[in-house]
Amino acid sequence: MTDPRGNTPGNVEVTAEDSNTSFFQSEDPEKSGKTSVVSNEKTVSDEIIYASPPHLSFSPFSGNLTLFYPKQINFEEGDRRNPINFTRRRKWAITVMACIATFFASSIAGAYNMGFDSMTRDLNCTQFQATIGLSVYALGFGLVPLVSASFSEEFGRQPLYIVSVFMVTLMFMMVALAKNIQTVIVARFIQGAFGSTGSTMVGGTIADIWSTKDRGLPMSLFALVAMGGTGVGPAFAGWIEMNTRLEWRWIQWIQM
């Protein structure tokens, strides 16, 4: 297979006639990693796909320009391992489970502050200290995905969902059993960090499994639960707080 200029893949030297720089060297595809086509037989073919045009990268240490050929992995037509080719039932099952994660992530944020009255009494803390627990949830929710979002591309989405659900559940227990407000604040930050998976990754999950023409309804469901959860959480948490036998700790136990 030749590159877009008709050369054989490998090291390519481009003279001054091609540019103002006298020497270029391309990245060797064999060393940089093959891009392969996934076949139905669960084997990998030797075909390398070069997207055009190639791009240049300058190394200030060597003074050379390296010619890189963008690579991509394609599924064959109708490959069942391609998420787009999942059955409709499986797609909806994945979508509903992902949206449930979104619903809980949004409801957790507002449900917490409905227990402030009993929390400040039991933990002997101020209203301001209790409010910090509300703020750090949003802080973890906003900052951590800047780092963790890329993990889904490296390790897949399912492992992140599993770890996040486990950690969010564990933080419910940590808050419910807390003996001081400092423990609550730390648990809320960690809960926000892992709860963010239910917001930042669900859109990508839906895009993975639904084609553009079928994506409207799943995305609408995702938006509905994201907005609706912020209202439902405080509604049921307020009822729990009003019950003197339950109060703030049971807000956490029931959500768990």
Side-chain angles (χ1 to χ4, degrees):
M1 180 180 290
T2 59
D3 65 24
R5 298 181 54 185
N7 298 318
T8 301
N11 293 334
V12 180
E13 184 174 332
V14 182
T15 64
E17 296 177 359
D18 298 291
S19 70
N20 295 328
T21 305
S22 60
F23 179 75
F24 294 86
Q25 187 174 11
S26 74
E27 180 74 15
D28 187 346
E30 297 297 329
K31 295 180 180 179
S32 63
K34 278 189 175 183
T35 297
S36 306
V37 177
V38 181
S39 69
N40 284 323
E41 290 75 20
K42 298 186 178 180
T43 58
V44 178
S45 71
D46 293 330
E47 182 177 356
I48 300 176
I49 300 174
Y50 293 96
S52 101
H55 62 272
L56 297 171
S57 176
F58 176 70
S59 173
F61 301 102
S62 64
N64 293 337
L65 285 173
T66 305
L67 187 62
F68 289 93
Y69 294 91
K71 306 175 183 71
Q72 64 186 26
I73 297 177
N74 286 342
F75 288 97
E76 288 186 348
E77 188 77 22
D79 193 328
R80 292 184 178 181
R81 289 169 296 166
N82 186 348
I84 290 292
N85 296 326
F86 287 169
T87 64
R88 198 167 186 84
R89 178 180 296 181
R90 185 177 181 184
K91 288 180 180 181
W92 273 114
I94 295 172
T95 301
V96 169
M97 292 302 295
C99 287
I100 289 174
T102 302
F103 176 82
F104 279 111
S106 58
S107 65
I108 292 168
Y112 162 81
N113 64 308
M114 301 307 295
F116 279 3
D117 290 342
S118 57
M119 179 187 295
T120 53
R121 182 198 66 219
D122 293 349
L123 299 183
N124 193 27
C125 65
T126 65
Q127 187 85 2
F128 174 75
Q129 290 174 317
T131 306
I132 294 176
L134 178 66
S135 302
V136 295
Y137 182 89
L139 185 65
F141 205 94
L143 290 181
V144 174
L146 297 176
V147 178
S148 63
S150 61
F151 293 166
S152 67
E153 303 296 334
E154 185 70 23
F155 305 107
R157 304 199 192 278
Q158 188 179 49
L160 261 69
Y161 279 122
I162 294 172
V163 172
S164 296
V165 168
F166 174 77
M167 290 302 299
V168 168
T169 303
L170 196 63
M171 291 306 106
F172 280 132
M173 184 182 297
M174 186 172 174
V175 174
L177 297 175
K179 301 298 183 183
N180 53 62
I181 191 62
Q182 291 83 0
T183 304
V184 173
I185 292 172
V186 171
R188 285 286 293 178
F189 177 81
I190 298 173
Q191 192 172 52
F194 286 96
S196 64
T197 301
S199 175
T200 58
M201 209 164 66
V202 173
T205 300
I206 293 174
D208 286 342
I209 62 178
W210 294 98
S211 62
T212 305
K213 63 183 178 65
D214 297 326
R215 202 174 293 163
L217 184 57
M219 278 295 187
S220 299
L221 178 62
F222 167 52
L224 177 65
V225 297
M227 297 295 102
T230 57
V232 174
F236 85 84
W239 178 83
I240 298 171
E241 172 67 11
M242 289 173 61
N243 190 323
T244 56
R245 293 177 298 178
L246 301 178
E247 297 186 331
W248 71 278
R249 293 188 189 274
W250 274 96
I251 293 176
Q252 307 303 318
W253 288 122
I254 292 174
Q255 288 182 104
M256 179 179 167

